[in-house]
Amino acid sequence: MAADIDIDIARQTAKKIEQLGRKSLALEVNVMSPDSISKMIQQAEAKLGPIDIAVNNAGILSVHPIAELSAEELDKVMDVNAKGIFLCTKAELAVMRPRKFGRMINVPSIAGKTGFPDLSHYSASKFAVIGFTNTVAKEVAAEGITINALCPGIVETGMWRGDDGLSAAWAQEGESEEDSWKRHQKTLLPQGEAKRRRIWSSLQFIWPVPHM
């Protein structure tokens, strides 16, 4: 099942799942709304059966130095990135705990491990997800449920690429967006590549492990 506030994105992901020979479902969800999340879980279980594995990956980003960061922008980023993970985790645990089984992976970021200039609000939200995940994992560890945080480096998505992405925002004088992207890959991922399939491989490694 794929869920997103943009139903078209959810449908694209669901289609890719179906191409692997699996059943899937695309749902529109607002992670800032408990009612929307509850409806998502009800629909998913009605169509696909019990939720055994959940990956919480909603996130938004904006670039502002602290002097230009408004309280409204801080709230917006924290609501999606941190509160959204909290609400999804709580709702998913409500259906996992009675069955004494569940595998949950919350996805913060490398920005939850170290700070980056102009991303104080974003980093704060991701640090929050790591602390929250670590704490809740200990609360439910004895109930057959594991919760882990996966912190990607940089990934080739709209957060990084394009005129509104970090590659453009952090380009040096005279440097193109493409060259900035290549430079940041070398700096932040010296042994890897910024492909989404690498994240998928990591998720597949984590969720079968019973004590992780």
Side-chain angles (χ1 to χ4, degrees):
M1 184 270 289
D4 197 287
I5 196 167
D6 185 334
I7 188 61
D8 289 334
I9 292 176
R11 286 171 178 156
Q12 291 170 19
T13 303
K15 184 177 180 179
K16 291 179 180 179
I17 295 172
E18 291 167 353
Q19 289 171 348
L20 297 173
R22 306 289 183 128
K23 291 195 298 181
S24 190
L25 175 68
L27 295 174
E28 182 177 346
V29 64
N30 179 355
V31 298
M32 294 184 290
S33 166
D35 290 342
S36 180
I37 294 169
S38 178
K39 183 179 178 181
M40 172 191 70
I41 289 176
Q42 291 172 8
Q43 290 179 309
E45 293 211 315
K47 294 285 187 178
L48 302 174
I51 295 175
D52 294 323
I53 301 171
V55 179
N56 299 315
N57 190 39
I60 59 173
L61 175 144
S62 61
V63 181
H64 297 287
I66 186 64
E68 300 173 9
L69 178 62
S70 68
E72 291 77 16
E73 186 65 19
L74 172 67
D75 287 343
K76 179 181 176 181
V77 170
M78 292 295 290
D79 279 349
V80 174
N81 296 2
K83 186 178 179 180
I85 295 284
F86 157 73
L87 292 174
C88 288
T89 298
K90 185 173 181 180
E92 290 152 2
L93 282 175
V95 297
M96 290 178 176
R97 295 180 93 166
R99 295 192 291 267
K100 301 292 183 181
F101 181 84
R103 300 288 181 264
M104 192 181 303
I105 302 172
N106 294 332
V107 185
S109 163
I110 188 176
K113 304 290 283 186
T114 185
F116 290 90
D118 304 333
L119 297 182
S120 58
H121 53 319
Y122 181 76
S123 283
S125 72
K126 297 302 185 176
F127 270 87
V129 170
I130 293 174
F132 170 74
T133 302
N134 182 272
T135 302
V136 179
K138 294 174 181 176
E139 289 186 20
V140 300
E143 300 178 46
I145 300 170
T146 64
I147 308 180
N148 288 278
L150 177 66
C151 300
I154 62 175
V155 184
E156 194 173 11
T157 67
M159 283 191 176
W160 272 93
R161 300 309 310 269
D163 293 338
D164 296 324
L166 288 173
S167 293
W170 288 347
Q172 297 175 348
E173 185 175 354
E175 185 179 47
S176 68
E177 187 272 338
E178 177 69 23
D179 288 340
S180 173
W181 168 243
K182 291 178 180 178
R183 174 171 57 84
H184 282 96
Q185 283 188 85
K186 290 179 180 178
T187 302
L188 298 173
L189 296 174
Q191 294 179 315
E193 58 179 348
K195 301 296 184 182
R196 278 171 277 193
R197 66 173 180 268
R198 299 297 185 187
I199 308 301
W200 176 248
S201 297
S202 299
L203 295 174
Q204 288 179 301
F205 170 78
I206 292 172
W207 64 53
V209 181
H211 304 293
M212 187 173 183

